[in-house]
Structure formats: structure tokens, C-alpha cells
Amino acid sequence: FIALAPPFAWDSLTYQMEVPHYYLDAGQIIANPTNHYFGLPQHLNILFGVVMALFGSDTAAAPLHWYTGFLGLLATAGLIRRHADKATAYLSVVLFLSGYSIWLLFGRAYVDLAMLLYGACALIALIEWNRSKSARWLLLAAAFCGFGLSTKYTAGVFLIAVGIFVLIRQPRRMIQNGLLMAGVVLLCYAPW
């Protein structure tokens, strides 16, 4: 229910909601020299602007963030369920939700829950690539990594870990896989 309330968190009011407001007021995506937070990746901020424009309300952004978190929890539980039992999958969700800050994030227009979704989906695609060795799964994993980097710079650490995993699994295809992944990541990150 907190996600349905008007925005109140400092991050949301300073830049997560300010970015879409500024663009919607201008009618285009333009630079804002007075707010240095506009230099951060804005993938989810643009999605916030889309739902704010569709519903005509600031209160539309936080439910979108809540929904990405919900999908991220489902993806995480599904990933764990494939490699363990149902009880472990449930336990992973319960443990994740046991943190107080997670409950705060579910009520705010922010980007961290989208990072959960993109990271879990990238892991799912990476595991399928490792199983099948199909380049399609590697492309999908790279796309999710690119979306994560387009949402928050800290996804770069995850991207490095994914690159190391791919290198370890197929060291002889290092250049081919590296160029393939780098191209997709850069394509997804290019607007930011």
C-alpha cells in the first residue's frame, strides 16, 4: 500500500521522479545542468515517465518499481527451485523479504528492485547458455546485463562476474563471446 502513496523518499523526490517530470514538462529528453543526478543511467526513470504520462499521476511510478521487485522475486525463486527443492525457493523469498530496507524499497520509486529482476533474469539465461551452449542464451544474458547497467552503474560489477564466468566456461571462444556480449551490452546501454 505504501507504493500507492504519493512519493516521499529523498531519492525519489531528488532524481528518480525529477528526471521523468523534467522530461515530461519539456516534452523531450534534454540535459539538466542544475541536477547532477541526470548523469546517472535512466532506463527505469524513462519507464517511470511512461507510466506517469499514461496514468497522469506521480503515484504510478512506485507501483512499477514494486512490480519489477515482484517479478525479480519470482525469477529468483524460480531459479532456486530449478536447482533445489520448493522449500528452499520459498525460504529464499522469505529471507530476502526479512530485510527492513527491502520493504522500504518496495514502497518507493527507485531502481534497486529492477536490478534484482535484471540480475535474476541474466543468471537464468546464463545458466541456460551453460547448459545448451546456444548463443541465443548468451545474447539474452548480455541484454539483461545491459539493461541492468542502463539502470544503475553498480551493475558493472555483476557484468564483470558474468564475463569471468563465460571466460571460464569457454576459454577458447573468449574473443567471440566477449565481442558478442560487449556488443549487446553496449547496444542496450547506448542511450545512457
Side-chain angles (χ1 to χ4, degrees):
F1 290 112
I2 294 172
L4 299 174
F8 62 91
W10 182 86
D11 291 337
S12 298
L13 296 174
T14 305
Y15 57 98
Q16 302 296 354
M17 301 294 295
E18 183 61 25
V19 169
H21 270 292
Y22 188 76
Y23 294 158
L24 289 172
D25 289 344
Q28 59 184 335
I29 297 175
I30 56 173
N32 183 336
T34 62
N35 189 336
H36 69 279
Y37 292 111
F38 276 62
L40 298 174
Q42 299 175 12
H43 173 77
L44 203 61
N45 298 118
I46 296 298
L47 293 177
F48 287 159
V50 169
V51 296
M52 288 165 54
L54 286 173
F55 293 101
S57 174
D58 288 350
T59 60
L64 174 64
H65 188 240
W66 181 94
Y67 186 64
T68 61
F70 176 72
L71 291 177
L73 285 176
L74 287 179
T76 302
L79 179 63
I80 292 172
R81 174 64 181 98
R82 291 181 75 185
H83 301 284
D85 59 0
K86 192 184 295 185
T88 307
Y90 288 142
L91 181 63
S92 71
V93 172
V94 169
L95 287 175
F96 187 80
L97 292 175
S98 68
Y100 176 70
S101 61
I102 297 302
W103 288 100
L104 294 176
L105 287 173
F106 269 97
R108 297 178 178 172
Y110 202 55
V111 297
D112 288 351
L113 296 177
M115 290 301 303
L116 168 68
L117 173 62
Y118 294 142
C121 290
L123 283 176
I124 291 168
L126 200 60
I127 289 168
E128 284 301 312
W129 167 79
N130 188 45
R131 184 188 59 73
S132 70
K133 301 299 186 240
S134 171
R136 293 179 300 173
W137 288 107
L138 189 60
L139 289 171
L140 189 59
F144 282 119
C145 288
F147 292 146
L149 195 59
S150 297
T151 302
K152 194 166 186 166
Y153 285 135
T154 54
V157 176
F158 180 72
L159 181 59
I160 291 168
V162 167
I164 291 170
F165 178 80
V166 170
L167 175 64
I168 289 170
R169 299 307 297 166
Q170 287 189 344
R172 293 181 185 204
R173 298 185 63 162
M174 173 180 62
I175 293 174
Q176 181 181 357
N177 288 340
L179 290 174
L180 190 68
M181 287 186 66
V184 173
V185 168
L186 289 175
L187 183 65
C188 294
Y189 179 71
W192 317 118

